[in-house]
Amino acid sequence: MAERYDCHYCKESLFGKKYVLRDENPYCVKCYESLYSNTCEECKKPIGCNNRDLSYKDRHWHDDCFHCFKCHHSLVDKPFSTKDEQLLCTECYSNEYSSKCFECKKAIMPGSRKMEHKGNSWHETCFTCQRCQQPIGTKSFIPKDNNNYCVPCYEKQFALQCVHCKKPITTGGVTFHDQPWHKDCFLCTGCKEQLSGQRFTSRDDFPYCLNCFCNLYAKKCAECTTPISGMRKITTVEPLQWHNDCFNCKKCLVSLVGRGFLTERDDILCPDCGKDI
């Protein structure tokens, strides 16, 4: 006599019937679906043994129920996205939620590369230089009047040119006699030190630092022979000049500022020392 082969749950014979094994135990189709089948998220019906069970994050659907929430097109074997637990095809998700390209106004598809600047987004191929129309990509660029320019095009079209080296000034710069200079090009005519950020003067339209100007053009003190600049008080006895602290009697060295004095050739003397002249 043949051994019986019954459903593990209802104990009915499985002879000549379809059955499903679970944990090495046989179940008739009806018991298996009742006990173990997943419920479809869409239609809320069990997903039977004869149906394909599509799952995503512990949720399950019949083949025919696995479709886009907006357009209802099937998502079987197609890419999709989710929003608020709703399934959406790529196109519907992009139209509804993806950022729009600032240039062409079309949706930027999920997964595609986009460029962003100051809250706006572009397709990579739409983010181009206004002048040469070439994609900017990850290269440096300069925005102007709601347009973007690659650095070479911006320099050609907008940047001032340094009067010294004739190259574009892209950052900073110095204006001297209404002409633009790079900071690195604006140098003292005498010592060639950079003048940007310090006091300077000019002679015959050439810039000089104060030290060079004083050494080259300022009058010299008749006593110490160093340049006389506007930083110190002076005493003048034409054609000579003295620093006030150098304007002393040649013999006794008393200060003669604001006092009477006598001269002997290039020397100055107080009245007492000058009695013997």
Side-chain angles (χ1 to χ4, degrees):
M1 187 175 182
E3 183 180 353
R4 287 181 61 84
Y5 196 64
D6 300 333
C7 171
H8 183 69
Y9 186 75
C10 69
K11 307 304 181 183
E12 288 189 10
S13 174
L14 297 176
F15 184 74
K17 298 178 181 179
K18 289 183 179 180
Y19 64 91
V20 181
L21 284 176
R22 182 182 176 90
D23 299 330
E24 297 185 359
N25 294 314
Y27 293 84
C28 66
V29 172
K30 182 179 179 181
C31 287
Y32 181 85
E33 291 182 349
S34 174
L35 293 170
Y36 301 116
S37 289
N38 294 307
T39 300
C40 176
E41 286 283 330
E42 180 70 14
C43 68
K44 309 305 179 185
K45 295 179 181 179
I47 302 173
C49 298
N50 294 326
N51 297 112
R52 186 177 174 188
D53 185 341
L54 301 178
S55 64
Y56 174 72
K57 290 188 175 180
D58 296 327
R59 301 162 68 201
H60 300 264
W61 290 263
H62 291 106
D63 261 18
D64 294 340
C65 296
F66 194 65
H67 54 70
C68 174
F69 178 75
K70 291 282 186 182
C71 67
H72 298 289
H73 288 170
S74 175
L75 297 177
V76 177
D77 299 326
K78 294 180 181 178
F80 64 91
S81 299
T82 61
K83 182 72 173 179
D84 299 329
E85 297 190 351
Q86 301 292 346
L87 302 176
L88 295 167
C89 66
T90 303
E91 184 174 353
C92 286
Y93 183 89
S94 298
N95 291 335
E96 192 77 18
Y97 303 110
S98 292
S99 54
K100 303 295 189 293
C101 175
F102 186 76
E103 179 66 23
C104 71
K105 311 307 179 186
K106 295 180 181 179
I108 300 175
M109 303 296 282
S112 62
R113 190 173 183 185
K114 69 177 179 180
M115 314 304 292
E116 295 181 317
H117 176 64
K118 289 189 175 180
N120 295 320
S121 301
W122 289 260
H123 293 109
E124 186 177 19
T125 54
C126 292
F127 191 62
T128 59
C129 170
Q130 178 68 17
R131 189 170 189 267
C132 69
Q133 296 300 309
Q134 294 300 307
I136 294 174
T138 58
K139 295 182 292 186
S140 297
F141 68 94
I142 301 173
K144 183 176 175 63
D145 300 332
N146 292 326
N147 294 314
N148 299 308
Y149 296 84
C150 64
V151 174
C153 284
Y154 182 88
E155 291 178 348
K156 290 176 184 177
Q157 189 161 339
F158 301 110
L160 296 173
Q161 287 193 334
C162 175
V163 69
H164 177 72
C165 69
K166 311 304 180 186
K167 294 180 180 179
I169 301 173
T170 56
T171 57
V174 176
T175 299
F176 175 66
H177 288 337
D178 295 325
Q179 293 179 316
W181 300 66
H182 288 115
K183 290 182 179 180
D184 294 340
C185 294
F186 190 58
L187 308 177
C188 172
T189 305
C191 65
K192 306 304 180 185
E193 289 294 318
Q194 191 177 122
L195 293 176
S196 176
Q198 64 169 301
R199 296 177 63 190
F200 66 92
T201 188
S202 65
R203 184 182 178 94
D204 300 327
D205 292 335
F206 293 102
Y208 292 88
C209 68
L210 296 184
N211 284 338
C212 285
F213 184 86
C214 288
N215 290 333
L216 292 170
Y217 300 113
K219 291 184 178 181
K220 306 296 191 296
C221 175
E223 177 62 25
C224 68
T225 69
T226 60
I228 293 176
S229 69
M231 304 296 290
R232 296 168 66 182
K233 293 182 179 181
I234 62 171
T235 298
T236 300
V237 180
E238 293 293 348
L240 302 178
Q241 291 184 331
W242 290 259
H243 297 112
N244 273 5
D245 48 1
C246 293
F247 193 61
N248 303 320
C249 174
K250 186 68 175 180
K251 290 187 177 181
C252 69
L253 301 180
V254 67
S255 174
L256 298 177
V257 177
R259 298 175 58 182
F261 60 89
L262 302 172
T263 61
E264 183 181 10
R265 292 184 295 276
D266 290 340
D267 295 333
I268 51 175
L269 301 169
C270 65
D272 290 339
C273 292
K275 290 178 181 179
D276 300 331
I277 296 177

